[in-house]
Amino acid sequence: RSEGCSTRAPMKFAFAALALAASASALTPPKSAVASATRGGSLEVGALKAAAAPIKEVSALPRGGVIANFVGVDVALLSYFFFWYLGNYYYNITNKLALKNSGGAQGFPMTIASLQLGVGVIYALFAWAAPDMRSAPSITFDDVKAMVPVAFCAMMAHCASVFAMSAGAVSFGQIVKAAEPAFAAVLSQFVYGKPISKAKWLCLIPVIGGVIIASLKELDFAVSALIAACSANLFAAFKGNENKKLMETKGLKDRLGTVGNQFAVTQIMAFIMSLPLLYLTEGSKWGEFRETLSTNSVVKNNFLYSGLFFYGYNELATMTIKKTSAVTQSVANTAKRVIVIVGVAIVMGESLNPLKLAGCAIGIGGVFLYSVIDQLLAKK
């Protein structure tokens, strides 16, 4: 019980901050309030007029929420990065605590994975229902059908990732997941007919080698964790390619409205798709899971927090990616992976022996090089 309590206060603060950051991109000043203030001739009107002159000096977040640029620094973008990292860090901690205290791989990994998606669905529906928070998308049934492959791959990638974390150490699962470019390269070359450069193929050698080195003396090594993490990589790679195809659908971006809406619709569809899998794998243990939630506050609290953190950090990641270049994304993902692997390992007391750290450094270094090698060569 002390495990869950020791991180509860920081997690509450982190979630509150994450929720504010995610909501900032969607919040729009109520039109009715602006109109009434303008008619009222109050002191606020004078303040608004006085503030009108320097409007050109600020950067606007999507759909409202204005944050100033200080000395040429995009504060909004920096906040996206910070809260993306923070949310991902706490998601991994709360997810692992919920899984560990409910029996690990022998407990309810599929149930927790599915209901984490469900927690995000509740937030997404609230965002659409709340006045002036976020406009709902105006997608068609054909749009929904087109989004099925992306949603299915997102669901499978999430569920496989949660199972990997239930079967082994978070740090080990993250190291294996860092090898996702290897899966993306194979799919791009042989399934989607989009060849990658020889330089990128060569960069996969340290990626795969790093994972192998990190696995050699892994104290929490489990074949099931390795297979699950590789499966998560495969579905994540499929999702990336399918998402590129999806965004080519004429008019879809306009009908979705925002990247936040795109993620919300995908999450809702992924949750619905996960329910049959939940029923088939752990449906017989539903009563036992409910009993665990009612008697074990560590599982209940961390399960709820993990669902909220998962939704929040993924939405912020989507916003961050939209505002940055490919190279910046690569640096950001590399830094995030290192922070999560080291930070979570320290908090959870997982092993970080020299061989594992060396494998981690080689693998993640290879991932970064894979991401930027074509740009580096193009400059020469």
Side-chain angles (χ1 to χ4, degrees):
R1 186 178 177 83
S2 60
E3 247 184 332
C5 295
S6 62
T7 56
R8 189 173 301 166
M11 283 191 295
K12 286 182 178 178
F13 169 77
F15 170 68
L18 188 68
L20 286 172
S23 299
S25 67
L27 285 171
T28 304
K31 294 180 182 178
S32 57
V34 173
S36 61
T38 306
R39 290 194 301 268
S42 61
L43 290 174
E44 284 82 352
V45 176
L48 286 171
K49 289 180 178 178
I55 284 296
K56 293 181 181 179
E57 299 300 321
V58 300
S59 62
L61 292 171
R63 289 191 51 74
V66 181
I67 295 182
N69 279 332
F70 293 102
V71 198
V73 176
D74 191 335
V75 179
L77 182 59
L78 288 180
S79 69
Y80 285 173
F81 274 118
F82 176 77
F83 289 112
W84 169 23
Y85 286 14
L86 186 70
N88 187 271
Y89 171 77
Y90 273 110
Y91 164 71
N92 278 279
I93 291 177
T94 53
N95 182 46
K96 184 62 177 179
L97 286 173
L99 292 167
K100 182 179 178 181
N101 287 279
S102 62
Q106 304 305 316
F108 316 96
M110 184 61 216
T111 303
I112 289 175
S114 177
L115 296 185
Q116 281 173 344
L117 296 174
V119 171
V121 168
I122 295 172
Y123 174 81
L125 295 177
F126 170 79
W128 288 333
D132 300 302
M133 185 172 177
R134 175 179 293 165
S135 298
S138 56
I139 54 176
T140 65
F141 182 67
D142 286 337
D143 292 334
V144 173
K145 289 194 296 183
M147 294 180 74
V148 166
V150 173
F152 177 77
C153 291
M155 180 272 293
M156 291 299 295
H158 173 64
C159 293
S161 178
V162 170
F163 185 83
M165 300 306 166
S166 74
V170 174
S171 54
F172 175 68
Q174 289 290 337
I175 291 170
V176 177
K177 285 179 66 181
E180 183 186 325
F183 293 81
V186 173
L187 290 179
S188 180
Q189 181 88 32
F190 300 107
V191 177
Y192 291 93
K194 296 179 179 179
I196 66 170
S197 65
K198 291 182 180 179
K200 283 198 169 187
W201 280 113
L202 291 173
C203 289
L204 293 178
I205 296 174
V207 173
I208 298 171
V211 172
I212 293 172
I213 292 171
S215 306
L216 291 178
K217 288 192 175 181
E218 171 57 44
L219 299 179
D220 297 314
F221 179 81
V223 174
S224 56
L226 177 63
I227 294 174
C230 288
S231 299
N233 284 344
L234 180 64
F235 282 108
F238 267 117
K239 186 186 82 168
N241 282 284
E242 288 297 327
N243 196 56
K244 288 178 184 177
K245 288 172 56 180
L246 177 67
M247 287 300 100
E248 294 171 2
T249 304
K250 188 177 180 180
L252 180 59
K253 285 184 179 180
D254 295 331
R255 292 190 291 274
L256 283 169
T258 65
V259 290
N261 278 346
Q262 179 188 346
F263 179 72
V265 173
T266 302
Q267 176 109 344
I268 291 170
M269 294 175 65
F271 170 65
I272 294 171
M273 292 177 184
S274 72
L275 294 178
L277 192 58
L278 164 60
Y279 177 77
L280 290 173
T281 56
E282 296 176 7
S284 60
K285 298 195 289 184
W286 178 250
E288 187 181 346
F289 177 71
R290 290 181 58 189
E291 178 70 18
T292 301
L293 283 185
S294 63
T295 58
N296 192 327
S297 60
V298 175
V299 174
K300 180 179 71 175
N301 292 333
N302 284 287
F303 148 66
L304 291 172
Y305 280 133
S306 64
L308 291 168
F309 280 126
F310 177 77
Y311 187 93
Y313 94 74
N314 272 293
E315 183 166 332
L316 284 169
T318 304
M319 296 171 189
T320 305
I321 287 170
K322 187 181 180 183
K323 290 182 64 124
T324 55
S325 67
V327 176
T328 304
Q329 294 165 29
S330 301
V331 175
N333 274 307
T334 302
K336 181 208 72 175
R337 191 81 67 183
V338 172
I339 291 170
V340 169
I341 289 173
V342 177
V344 174
I346 293 172
V347 171
M348 301 299 297
E350 296 176 353
S351 65
L352 279 176
N353 60 68
L355 196 61
K356 185 174 182 178
L357 286 173
C360 174
I362 294 170
I364 292 179
V367 171
F368 174 69
L369 190 59
Y370 174 92
S371 303
V372 301
I373 189 66
D374 285 346
Q375 291 92 326
L376 292 176
L377 294 178
K379 293 178 181 179
K380 295 182 178 180

PDB file of all heavy atoms in Angstrom, residues 92-121:
ATOM      1  N   ASN A  92       3.724   5.511 -17.050  1.00  0.00           N
ATOM      2  CA  ASN A  92       4.478   4.274 -16.875  1.00  0.00           C
ATOM      3  C   ASN A  92       4.523   3.833 -15.412  1.00  0.00           C
ATOM      4  O   ASN A  92       4.452   2.632 -15.118  1.00  0.00           O
ATOM      5  CB  ASN A  92       5.895   4.441 -17.428  1.00  0.00           C
ATOM      6  CG  ASN A  92       5.961   4.257 -18.927  1.00  0.00           C
ATOM      7  OD1 ASN A  92       5.997   3.140 -19.429  1.00  0.00           O
ATOM      8  ND2 ASN A  92       5.935   5.362 -19.659  1.00  0.00           N
ATOM      9  N   ILE A  93       4.623   4.786 -14.494  1.00  0.00           N
ATOM     10  CA  ILE A  93       4.644   4.442 -13.068  1.00  0.00           C
ATOM     11  C   ILE A  93       3.285   3.922 -12.616  1.00  0.00           C
ATOM     12  O   ILE A  93       3.177   2.850 -12.003  1.00  0.00           O
ATOM     13  CB  ILE A  93       5.057   5.668 -12.231  1.00  0.00           C
ATOM     14  CG1 ILE A  93       6.531   5.997 -12.474  1.00  0.00           C
ATOM     15  CG2 ILE A  93       4.826   5.399 -10.738  1.00  0.00           C
ATOM     16  CD1 ILE A  93       7.007   7.246 -11.749  1.00  0.00           C
ATOM     17  N   THR A  94       2.216   4.683 -12.915  1.00  0.00           N
ATOM     18  CA  THR A  94       0.877   4.276 -12.465  1.00  0.00           C
ATOM     19  C   THR A  94       0.435   2.979 -13.140  1.00  0.00           C
ATOM     20  O   THR A  94      -0.209   2.136 -12.516  1.00  0.00           O
ATOM     21  CB  THR A  94      -0.147   5.391 -12.746  1.00  0.00           C
ATOM     22  OG1 THR A  94      -0.069   5.783 -14.127  1.00  0.00           O
ATOM     23  CG2 THR A  94       0.134   6.608 -11.882  1.00  0.00           C
ATOM     24  N   ASN A  95       0.777   2.822 -14.404  1.00  0.00           N
ATOM     25  CA  ASN A  95       0.438   1.597 -15.121  1.00  0.00           C
ATOM     26  C   ASN A  95       1.100   0.386 -14.467  1.00  0.00           C
ATOM     27  O   ASN A  95       0.459  -0.645 -14.221  1.00  0.00           O
ATOM     28  CB  ASN A  95       0.874   1.731 -16.579  1.00  0.00           C
ATOM     29  CG  ASN A  95       0.513   0.512 -17.411  1.00  0.00           C
ATOM     30  OD1 ASN A  95      -0.597   0.005 -17.345  1.00  0.00           O
ATOM     31  ND2 ASN A  95       1.460   0.042 -18.209  1.00  0.00           N
ATOM     32  N   LYS A  96       2.395   0.524 -14.170  1.00  0.00           N
ATOM     33  CA  LYS A  96       3.129  -0.586 -13.562  1.00  0.00           C
ATOM     34  C   LYS A  96       2.609  -0.900 -12.162  1.00  0.00           C
ATOM     35  O   LYS A  96       2.481  -2.080 -11.778  1.00  0.00           O
ATOM     36  CB  LYS A  96       4.624  -0.254 -13.500  1.00  0.00           C
ATOM     37  CG  LYS A  96       5.491  -1.398 -12.962  1.00  0.00           C
ATOM     38  CD  LYS A  96       5.420  -2.629 -13.851  1.00  0.00           C
ATOM     39  CE  LYS A  96       6.326  -3.750 -13.362  1.00  0.00           C
ATOM     40  NZ  LYS A  96       6.253  -4.951 -14.209  1.00  0.00           N
ATOM     41  N   LEU A  97       2.278   0.138 -11.380  1.00  0.00           N
ATOM     42  CA  LEU A  97       1.758  -0.089 -10.034  1.00  0.00           C
ATOM     43  C   LEU A  97       0.405  -0.805 -10.081  1.00  0.00           C
ATOM     44  O   LEU A  97       0.139  -1.708  -9.276  1.00  0.00           O
ATOM     45  CB  LEU A  97       1.628   1.238  -9.284  1.00  0.00           C
ATOM     46  CG  LEU A  97       2.924   1.872  -8.794  1.00  0.00           C
ATOM     47  CD1 LEU A  97       2.666   3.264  -8.223  1.00  0.00           C
ATOM     48  CD2 LEU A  97       3.600   0.981  -7.738  1.00  0.00           C
ATOM     49  N   ALA A  98      -0.448  -0.403 -11.017  1.00  0.00           N
ATOM     50  CA  ALA A  98      -1.756  -1.055 -11.153  1.00  0.00           C
ATOM     51  C   ALA A  98      -1.589  -2.520 -11.557  1.00  0.00           C
ATOM     52  O   ALA A  98      -2.250  -3.408 -11.009  1.00  0.00           O
ATOM     53  CB  ALA A  98      -2.608  -0.313 -12.180  1.00  0.00           C
ATOM     54  N   LEU A  99      -0.692  -2.772 -12.498  1.00  0.00           N
ATOM     55  CA  LEU A  99      -0.462  -4.147 -12.969  1.00  0.00           C
ATOM     56  C   LEU A  99       0.190  -5.005 -11.881  1.00  0.00           C
ATOM     57  O   LEU A  99      -0.239  -6.142 -11.626  1.00  0.00           O
ATOM     58  CB  LEU A  99       0.428  -4.122 -14.214  1.00  0.00           C
ATOM     59  CG  LEU A  99      -0.184  -3.511 -15.476  1.00  0.00           C
ATOM     60  CD1 LEU A  99       0.891  -3.251 -16.523  1.00  0.00           C
ATOM     61  CD2 LEU A  99      -1.274  -4.421 -16.038  1.00  0.00           C
ATOM     62  N   LYS A 100       1.212  -4.462 -11.251  1.00  0.00           N
ATOM     63  CA  LYS A 100       1.965  -5.207 -10.239  1.00  0.00           C
ATOM     64  C   LYS A 100       1.090  -5.591  -9.051  1.00  0.00           C
ATOM     65  O   LYS A 100       1.153  -6.722  -8.551  1.00  0.00           O
ATOM     66  CB  LYS A 100       3.147  -4.361  -9.776  1.00  0.00           C
ATOM     67  CG  LYS A 100       4.061  -5.042  -8.754  1.00  0.00           C
ATOM     68  CD  LYS A 100       5.214  -4.109  -8.395  1.00  0.00           C
ATOM     69  CE  LYS A 100       6.129  -4.736  -7.338  1.00  0.00           C
ATOM     70  NZ  LYS A 100       7.244  -3.815  -6.975  1.00  0.00           N
ATOM     71  N   ASN A 101       0.253  -4.663  -8.597  1.00  0.00           N
ATOM     72  CA  ASN A 101      -0.562  -4.913  -7.415  1.00  0.00           C
ATOM     73  C   ASN A 101      -1.847  -5.683  -7.713  1.00  0.00           C
ATOM     74  O   ASN A 101      -2.616  -5.989  -6.799  1.00  0.00           O
ATOM     75  CB  ASN A 101      -0.905  -3.588  -6.729  1.00  0.00           C
ATOM     76  CG  ASN A 101       0.282  -2.993  -6.005  1.00  0.00           C
ATOM     77  OD1 ASN A 101       0.616  -3.375  -4.899  1.00  0.00           O
ATOM     78  ND2 ASN A 101       0.961  -2.045  -6.654  1.00  0.00           N
ATOM     79  N   SER A 102      -2.084  -5.983  -8.990  1.00  0.00           N
ATOM     80  CA  SER A 102      -3.253  -6.790  -9.345  1.00  0.00           C
ATOM     81  C   SER A 102      -2.866  -8.169  -9.866  1.00  0.00           C
ATOM     82  O   SER A 102      -3.698  -8.892 -10.416  1.00  0.00           O
ATOM     83  CB  SER A 102      -4.101  -6.063 -10.394  1.00  0.00           C
ATOM     84  OG  SER A 102      -3.365  -5.855 -11.585  1.00  0.00           O
ATOM     85  N   GLY A 103      -1.580  -8.526  -9.709  1.00  0.00           N
ATOM     86  CA  GLY A 103      -1.164  -9.881 -10.079  1.00  0.00           C
ATOM     87  C   GLY A 103      -0.241  -9.982 -11.265  1.00  0.00           C
ATOM     88  O   GLY A 103       0.095 -11.088 -11.702  1.00  0.00           O
ATOM     89  N   GLY A 104       0.184  -8.855 -11.835  1.00  0.00           N
ATOM     90  CA  GLY A 104       1.110  -8.898 -12.967  1.00  0.00           C
ATOM     91  C   GLY A 104       0.488  -9.535 -14.195  1.00  0.00           C
ATOM     92  O   GLY A 104      -0.696  -9.358 -14.488  1.00  0.00           O
ATOM     93  N   ALA A 105       1.286 -10.313 -14.906  1.00  0.00           N
ATOM     94  CA  ALA A 105       0.806 -10.959 -16.129  1.00  0.00           C
ATOM     95  C   ALA A 105      -0.296 -11.966 -15.843  1.00  0.00           C
ATOM     96  O   ALA A 105      -1.108 -12.279 -16.724  1.00  0.00           O
ATOM     97  CB  ALA A 105       1.969 -11.647 -16.846  1.00  0.00           C
ATOM     98  N   GLN A 106      -0.348 -12.493 -14.619  1.00  0.00           N
ATOM     99  CA  GLN A 106      -1.375 -13.468 -14.251  1.00  0.00           C
ATOM    100  C   GLN A 106      -2.632 -12.781 -13.714  1.00  0.00           C
ATOM    101  O   GLN A 106      -3.596 -13.447 -13.347  1.00  0.00           O
ATOM    102  CB  GLN A 106      -0.823 -14.430 -13.190  1.00  0.00           C
ATOM    103  CG  GLN A 106       0.451 -15.143 -13.593  1.00  0.00           C
ATOM    104  CD  GLN A 106       0.319 -15.883 -14.908  1.00  0.00           C
ATOM    105  OE1 GLN A 106      -0.685 -16.569 -15.153  1.00  0.00           O
ATOM    106  NE2 GLN A 106       1.325 -15.748 -15.772  1.00  0.00           N
ATOM    107  N   GLY A 107      -2.600 -11.455 -13.638  1.00  0.00           N
ATOM    108  CA  GLY A 107      -3.738 -10.717 -13.108  1.00  0.00           C
ATOM    109  C   GLY A 107      -4.718 -10.306 -14.188  1.00  0.00           C
ATOM    110  O   GLY A 107      -5.364 -11.150 -14.815  1.00  0.00           O
ATOM    111  N   PHE A 108      -4.785  -8.979 -14.463  1.00  0.00           N
ATOM    112  CA  PHE A 108      -5.791  -8.473 -15.397  1.00  0.00           C
ATOM    113  C   PHE A 108      -5.197  -7.483 -16.399  1.00  0.00           C
ATOM    114  O   PHE A 108      -5.726  -6.377 -16.578  1.00  0.00           O
ATOM    115  CB  PHE A 108      -6.909  -7.770 -14.615  1.00  0.00           C
ATOM    116  CG  PHE A 108      -7.370  -8.498 -13.388  1.00  0.00           C
ATOM    117  CD1 PHE A 108      -6.853  -8.159 -12.141  1.00  0.00           C
ATOM    118  CD2 PHE A 108      -8.300  -9.522 -13.469  1.00  0.00           C
ATOM    119  CE1 PHE A 108      -7.266  -8.817 -11.002  1.00  0.00           C
ATOM    120  CE2 PHE A 108      -8.719 -10.196 -12.332  1.00  0.00           C
ATOM    121  CZ  PHE A 108      -8.207  -9.850 -11.087  1.00  0.00           C
ATOM    122  N   PRO A 109      -4.115  -7.832 -17.087  1.00  0.00           N
ATOM    123  CA  PRO A 109      -3.496  -6.860 -17.999  1.00  0.00           C
ATOM    124  C   PRO A 109      -4.409  -6.406 -19.128  1.00  0.00           C
ATOM    125  O   PRO A 109      -4.441  -5.225 -19.475  1.00  0.00           O
ATOM    126  CB  PRO A 109      -2.261  -7.601 -18.529  1.00  0.00           C
ATOM    127  CG  PRO A 109      -2.538  -9.050 -18.288  1.00  0.00           C
ATOM    128  CD  PRO A 109      -3.362  -9.100 -17.051  1.00  0.00           C
ATOM    129  N   MET A 110      -5.182  -7.330 -19.702  1.00  0.00           N
ATOM    130  CA  MET A 110      -6.073  -6.959 -20.802  1.00  0.00           C
ATOM    131  C   MET A 110      -7.212  -6.094 -20.299  1.00  0.00           C
ATOM    132  O   MET A 110      -7.617  -5.128 -20.963  1.00  0.00           O
ATOM    133  CB  MET A 110      -6.617  -8.217 -21.491  1.00  0.00           C
ATOM    134  CG  MET A 110      -7.477  -7.930 -22.708  1.00  0.00           C
ATOM    135  SD  MET A 110      -6.569  -7.046 -24.000  1.00  0.00           S
ATOM    136  CE  MET A 110      -7.868  -5.975 -24.641  1.00  0.00           C
ATOM    137  N   THR A 111      -7.729  -6.408 -19.131  1.00  0.00           N
ATOM    138  CA  THR A 111      -8.814  -5.609 -18.554  1.00  0.00           C
ATOM    139  C   THR A 111      -8.335  -4.188 -18.278  1.00  0.00           C
ATOM    140  O   THR A 111      -9.019  -3.210 -18.608  1.00  0.00           O
ATOM    141  CB  THR A 111      -9.311  -6.248 -17.242  1.00  0.00           C
ATOM    142  OG1 THR A 111      -9.722  -7.594 -17.500  1.00  0.00           O
ATOM    143  CG2 THR A 111     -10.469  -5.467 -16.662  1.00  0.00           C
ATOM    144  N   ILE A 112      -7.171  -4.072 -17.676  1.00  0.00           N
ATOM    145  CA  ILE A 112      -6.620  -2.749 -17.365  1.00  0.00           C
ATOM    146  C   ILE A 112      -6.328  -1.973 -18.644  1.00  0.00           C
ATOM    147  O   ILE A 112      -6.639  -0.777 -18.751  1.00  0.00           O
ATOM    148  CB  ILE A 112      -5.357  -2.891 -16.497  1.00  0.00           C
ATOM    149  CG1 ILE A 112      -5.748  -3.362 -15.086  1.00  0.00           C
ATOM    150  CG2 ILE A 112      -4.573  -1.576 -16.429  1.00  0.00           C
ATOM    151  CD1 ILE A 112      -4.583  -3.658 -14.169  1.00  0.00           C
ATOM    152  N   ALA A 113      -5.760  -2.641 -19.644  1.00  0.00           N
ATOM    153  CA  ALA A 113      -5.453  -1.976 -20.915  1.00  0.00           C
ATOM    154  C   ALA A 113      -6.726  -1.441 -21.570  1.00  0.00           C
ATOM    155  O   ALA A 113      -6.774  -0.302 -22.043  1.00  0.00           O
ATOM    156  CB  ALA A 113      -4.736  -2.937 -21.854  1.00  0.00           C
ATOM    157  N   SER A 114      -7.761  -2.258 -21.600  1.00  0.00           N
ATOM    158  CA  SER A 114      -9.021  -1.859 -22.234  1.00  0.00           C
ATOM    159  C   SER A 114      -9.677  -0.708 -21.485  1.00  0.00           C
ATOM    160  O   SER A 114     -10.108   0.287 -22.094  1.00  0.00           O
ATOM    161  CB  SER A 114      -9.975  -3.058 -22.293  1.00  0.00           C
ATOM    162  OG  SER A 114     -11.229  -2.681 -22.834  1.00  0.00           O
ATOM    163  N   LEU A 115      -9.746  -0.815 -20.163  1.00  0.00           N
ATOM    164  CA  LEU A 115     -10.422   0.217 -19.387  1.00  0.00           C
ATOM    165  C   LEU A 115      -9.609   1.508 -19.303  1.00  0.00           C
ATOM    166  O   LEU A 115     -10.166   2.578 -19.070  1.00  0.00           O
ATOM    167  CB  LEU A 115     -10.745  -0.307 -17.987  1.00  0.00           C
ATOM    168  CG  LEU A 115     -11.745  -1.477 -17.958  1.00  0.00           C
ATOM    169  CD1 LEU A 115     -12.112  -1.847 -16.534  1.00  0.00           C
ATOM    170  CD2 LEU A 115     -13.009  -1.143 -18.760  1.00  0.00           C
ATOM    171  N   GLN A 116      -8.290   1.431 -19.497  1.00  0.00           N
ATOM    172  CA  GLN A 116      -7.503   2.660 -19.614  1.00  0.00           C
ATOM    173  C   GLN A 116      -7.983   3.460 -20.824  1.00  0.00           C
ATOM    174  O   GLN A 116      -8.104   4.693 -20.759  1.00  0.00           O
ATOM    175  CB  GLN A 116      -6.014   2.332 -19.769  1.00  0.00           C
ATOM    176  CG  GLN A 116      -5.325   1.964 -18.465  1.00  0.00           C
ATOM    177  CD  GLN A 116      -3.892   1.484 -18.674  1.00  0.00           C
ATOM    178  OE1 GLN A 116      -3.504   1.138 -19.791  1.00  0.00           O
ATOM    179  NE2 GLN A 116      -3.108   1.451 -17.613  1.00  0.00           N
ATOM    180  N   LEU A 117      -8.254   2.764 -21.918  1.00  0.00           N
ATOM    181  CA  LEU A 117      -8.811   3.427 -23.094  1.00  0.00           C
ATOM    182  C   LEU A 117     -10.179   4.013 -22.766  1.00  0.00           C
ATOM    183  O   LEU A 117     -10.521   5.109 -23.208  1.00  0.00           O
ATOM    184  CB  LEU A 117      -8.920   2.440 -24.263  1.00  0.00           C
ATOM    185  CG  LEU A 117      -7.609   1.859 -24.805  1.00  0.00           C
ATOM    186  CD1 LEU A 117      -7.909   0.791 -25.861  1.00  0.00           C
ATOM    187  CD2 LEU A 117      -6.733   2.950 -25.395  1.00  0.00           C
ATOM    188  N   GLY A 118     -10.964   3.273 -21.965  1.00  0.00           N
ATOM    189  CA  GLY A 118     -12.293   3.738 -21.586  1.00  0.00           C
ATOM    190  C   GLY A 118     -12.259   5.009 -20.759  1.00  0.00           C
ATOM    191  O   GLY A 118     -13.110   5.895 -20.917  1.00  0.00           O
ATOM    192  N   VAL A 119     -11.271   5.133 -19.877  1.00  0.00           N
ATOM    193  CA  VAL A 119     -11.126   6.354 -19.075  1.00  0.00           C
ATOM    194  C   VAL A 119     -10.885   7.548 -19.999  1.00  0.00           C
ATOM    195  O   VAL A 119     -11.465   8.628 -19.814  1.00  0.00           O
ATOM    196  CB  VAL A 119      -9.959   6.211 -18.068  1.00  0.00           C
ATOM    197  CG1 VAL A 119      -9.654   7.540 -17.391  1.00  0.00           C
ATOM    198  CG2 VAL A 119     -10.292   5.156 -17.020  1.00  0.00           C
ATOM    199  N   GLY A 120     -10.052   7.349 -21.019  1.00  0.00           N
ATOM    200  CA  GLY A 120      -9.798   8.414 -21.985  1.00  0.00           C
ATOM    201  C   GLY A 120     -11.038   8.779 -22.782  1.00  0.00           C
ATOM    202  O   GLY A 120     -11.243   9.946 -23.125  1.00  0.00           O
ATOM    203  N   VAL A 121     -11.869   7.796 -23.076  1.00  0.00           N
ATOM    204  CA  VAL A 121     -13.113   8.043 -23.808  1.00  0.00           C
ATOM    205  C   VAL A 121     -14.017   8.986 -23.014  1.00  0.00           C
ATOM    206  O   VAL A 121     -14.631   9.906 -23.574  1.00  0.00           O
ATOM    207  CB  VAL A 121     -13.845   6.713 -24.098  1.00  0.00           C
ATOM    208  CG1 VAL A 121     -15.275   6.969 -24.592  1.00  0.00           C
ATOM    209  CG2 VAL A 121     -13.074   5.900 -25.136  1.00  0.00           C
TER     210      VAL A 121
END
